[in-house]
Amino acid sequence: MTSFTRIKFPTGFWKGLRQLGISPHEVVRKAGLPLTIINEPVVNATQYFLIWQAYSDLIDDTAKGIIKLATGFETVHYPPTVLAAYHARDYRDALTRMARYKQMCPPENLLITEEDEHCTIELKWLYTEQPGPPMLIGITLAFLLELGRRGTGQPLTARSVEFSHSMGDVKLLEDYFGCHIQIGGNCNKLTLYRSDLDSPFVTYNEELLEILAPVLDQSLDEQQRSNPITEMVKWVLKRSLTGGRPDIQTVADELGMGNRTLQRRLTDEGTSFKHLLTQVRHERARKYLADPSLDISEVAFLIGYEDQNSFYRAFRLWEDDTPSNWRTEHLGKTQ
């Protein structure tokens, strides 16, 4: 298991469960995991999701579980990464810090986009093929709004919320978010009113931030340096290929770093973005061609080629053969 798949589960989570009358032992048993996880909170992505699914299974309704934990979790139990957001200067600063420090506890990844009068925060997953449990998705987005409410001391509402999966009592969630909830969308995202981002935080604590921020920034930098950037980039590329060609800026944004920083780190590891893109396309092409249910045109689309001829030319360079011949030969050997 590579280092970036190791997730530090916040100890405050277990304290929060006790506040809600839920036994951490019951959650861990329901997840089928050893009880030692409560005291040794470093888990992998699969275990992380299992814990959240177990909490969901112990609650009557997903929507109830989302609101219960988001509103009932006391600020004294916030981990340092969240405290840095809670004591930020304003809502925009808080969200920026949340997105930055979320990188220290993958697989969650927050992408913030400000456009016109709106601010959209999309939740994506890094380093795992598994989709996140609906409960975790809902709580993550609900807490971003809860953070704004607690920080500003104002009853802020969202402009819209989109979930890809069922979330239980939608009416309950609409009452909480104060907006329409779309279920069955293509992504999971919270859209805020951009004007709210300028709202100052009554919880702003400059002295505390001067202590917390340098330590968190140093930890994040050390973590990023220790992780092989090559594998991280390849992971993002595999998720982003379909129907288009992801550029280095898109990948850098998803990894939470600047374009130049990403280029420099790839150079340090003896590779380049262009080389990794080609490598990932080649690897995925072989994988998809091994699936006889996929047409050649579908394979081309899935690895980011808009036209089949471009795919044929690239594949000839990789394998010195056509996709059709390679597939026939490969499938013949495996049958």
Side-chain angles (χ1 to χ4, degrees):
M1 183 187 304
T2 52
S3 59
F4 54 77
T5 60
R6 296 180 64 78
I7 304 157
K8 187 173 182 181
F9 216 94
T11 54
F13 171 76
W14 306 113
K15 295 177 182 177
L17 289 184
R18 293 190 185 98
Q19 283 183 287
L20 301 177
I22 299 173
S23 167
H25 289 137
E26 190 176 2
V27 173
V28 174
R29 288 194 186 97
K30 184 76 174 177
L33 299 173
L35 294 178
T36 51
I37 278 182
I38 297 174
N39 298 315
E40 300 172 6
V42 177
V43 298
N44 60 37
T46 299
Q47 294 169 328
Y48 184 68
F49 286 168
L50 283 173
I51 290 170
W52 280 106
Q53 187 59 54
Y55 167 67
S56 179
D57 293 341
L58 292 170
I59 297 290
D60 293 339
D61 181 87
T62 301
K64 290 180 182 178
I66 291 169
I67 297 169
K68 201 172 183 180
L69 191 57
T71 58
F73 202 97
E74 293 185 1
T75 55
V76 294
H77 294 147
Y78 285 171
T81 51
V82 180
L83 279 177
Y86 179 64
H87 293 295
R89 182 181 298 276
D90 53 37
Y91 198 8
R92 177 179 286 102
D93 184 25
L95 292 173
T96 301
R97 291 177 188 272
M98 278 293 292
R100 175 169 172 74
Y101 298 133
K102 265 292 184 188
Q103 299 172 74
M104 298 174 68
C105 52
E108 299 162 60
N109 188 39
L110 301 176
L111 299 179
I112 302 176
T113 305
E114 290 190 45
E115 187 174 357
D116 298 328
E117 299 178 356
H118 312 127
C119 171
T120 299
I121 309 162
E122 184 176 353
L123 173 62
K124 291 194 173 185
W125 307 106
L126 288 177
Y127 323 131
T128 174
E129 298 281 355
Q130 301 168 265
M135 179 69 77
L136 173 57
I137 293 169
I139 286 175
T140 300
L141 297 189
F143 181 75
L144 294 175
L145 180 60
E146 188 69 22
L147 176 66
R149 288 173 173 172
R150 294 188 185 191
T152 64
Q154 300 295 322
L156 303 180
T157 59
R159 180 181 181 273
S160 64
V161 180
E162 182 176 335
F163 292 118
S164 58
H165 296 89
S166 174
M167 288 289 171
D169 190 340
V170 175
K171 179 62 168 61
L172 203 62
L173 286 176
E174 288 183 335
D175 289 342
Y176 174 76
F177 282 99
C179 67
H180 172 69
I181 303 288
Q182 179 184 345
I183 302 295
N186 296 322
C187 59
N188 299 289
K189 64 181 181 182
L190 167 71
T191 301
L192 302 169
Y193 294 99
R194 196 173 183 183
S195 57
D196 287 338
L197 302 191
D198 296 318
S199 301
F201 268 26
V202 296
T203 54
Y204 175 49
N205 189 325
E206 184 178 9
E207 292 183 1
L208 182 60
L209 286 178
E210 288 177 352
I211 296 172
L212 278 178
V215 175
L216 292 173
D217 289 340
Q218 181 179 353
S219 296
L220 178 60
D221 290 343
E222 290 175 353
Q223 178 178 303
Q224 290 181 335
R225 283 197 299 271
S226 67
N227 291 335
I229 195 65
T230 297
E231 293 305 312
M232 296 168 72
V233 169
K234 288 178 68 175
W235 180 264
V236 176
L237 286 173
K238 287 175 184 178
R239 293 169 19 122
S240 311
L241 279 179
T242 305
R245 176 173 177 164
D247 56 28
I248 190 169
Q249 186 61 60
T250 301
V251 174
D253 288 343
E254 185 149 349
L255 292 174
M257 64 179 67
N259 186 326
R260 292 183 179 178
T261 299
L262 178 55
Q263 287 179 321
R264 184 178 67 252
R265 291 189 59 186
L266 288 174
T267 300
D268 290 344
E269 292 186 14
T271 187
S272 68
F273 181 80
K274 183 178 180 180
H275 173 74
L276 293 181
L277 178 59
T278 300
Q279 188 177 36
V280 168
R281 279 178 154 174
H282 186 188
E283 291 173 0
R284 301 309 265 188
R286 291 171 63 97
K287 176 182 177 180
Y288 293 138
L289 286 171
D291 181 353
S293 68
L294 294 174
D295 293 335
I296 301 295
S297 60
E298 290 179 294
V299 174
F301 178 78
L302 288 171
I303 65 171
Y305 287 98
E306 295 182 356
D307 68 275
Q308 197 168 318
N309 289 334
S310 297
F311 171 52
Y312 267 79
R313 287 194 295 271
F315 197 83
R316 275 190 172 278
L317 290 174
W318 300 333
E319 297 287 342
D320 195 25
D321 202 353
T322 66
S324 299
N325 289 343
W326 187 93
R327 167 177 270 178
T328 300
E329 183 179 353
H330 179 81
L331 292 180
K333 290 179 180 179
T334 57
Q335 291 177 349

